[in-house]
Amino acid sequence: DAGGMTAVPGVVAVGDVARSAGHRAEHWTSAMETAAVAARNLLAGTTVETYSGLPYFWSDQYGIRIQLAGRRGSGDTVRVVEGSPEDRSFLAVYEREGTTTAVLAANRPRPFLRARRELARAGGLAAV
Ligand SMILES: Cc1cc2nc3c(=O)[nH]c(=O)nc-3n(C[C@H](O)[C@H](O)[C@H](O)COP(=O)(O)OP(=O)(O)OC[C@H]3O[C@@H](n4cnc5c(N)ncnc54)[C@H](O)[C@@H]3O)c2cc1C
């Protein structure tokens, strides 16, 4: 479930093996952040807490820091708001019906951080 509990009593699941609230998030951040919540539920013996964090991952690929936060859908539109892919440095937003669902950056860590915080404040998860 959304707190890492499984159908097996005394067993919780996090990280790459887990599907939480219908979503898989196979990234380091997810594995680390969800573990604490699952541990509290394991100790309580029931779901007392669910994951509420905005999905986020980063990766360094060929000299580019790639960061994505939120949960884009297949029908979302993407718009570059800073920089350009040609320059290997940009910030882009994914949108659906006027609402931002995710932010993506390449080599733009500071603008990305601001956009990620704004998305979290706006309840990015609720938007998807
Ligand atoms: C090549 C590669 C690059 C990646 N790059 C990124 C990245 O840039 N950014 C990012 O966010 N994520 C990245 N990931 C994904 C990230 O590594 C995983 O999401 C994360 O490690 C998942 O953590 P985990 O604890 O669920 O699983 P794991 O880190 O896989 O840990 C599972 C552990 O269980 C052990 N194990 C397995 N079976 C048994 C058993 N039967 N008994 C005992 N132990 C067992 C394994 O040896 C392993 O140590 C990358 C993954 C790969 C493969």
Side-chain angles (χ1 to χ4, degrees), residues 24-44:
R24 297 185 69 98
E26 298 179 35
H27 306 297
W28 288 317
T29 324
S30 161
M32 292 176 68
E33 290 180 351
T34 55
V37 173
R40 281 192 281 277
N41 291 332
L42 183 63
L43 292 172

Side-chain angles (χ1 to χ4, degrees), residues 16-66:
D16 283 6
V17 298
R19 177 185 299 274
S20 175
H23 296 285
R24 297 185 69 98
E26 298 179 35
H27 306 297
W28 288 317
T29 324
S30 161
M32 292 176 68
E33 290 180 351
T34 55
V37 173
R40 281 192 281 277
N41 291 332
L42 183 63
L43 292 172
T46 185
T47 304
V48 293
E49 191 178 332
T50 56
Y51 311 132
S52 56
L54 191 68
Y56 165 68
F57 83 84
W58 61 269
S59 190
D60 290 326
Q61 302 289 332
Y62 299 96
I64 301 178
R65 166 64 54 97
I66 300 166

Side-chain angles (χ1 to χ4, degrees), residues 79-111:
R79 184 165 58 90
V80 174
V81 292
E82 266 191 50
S84 74
E86 291 74 27
D87 294 337
R88 297 161 62 92
S89 174
F90 66 89
L91 178 72
V93 294
Y94 286 90
E95 293 164 321
R96 191 183 316 157
E97 293 166 5
T99 303
T100 301
T101 55
V103 291
L104 168 72
N107 282 339
R108 291 259 165 170
R110 282 177 188 275

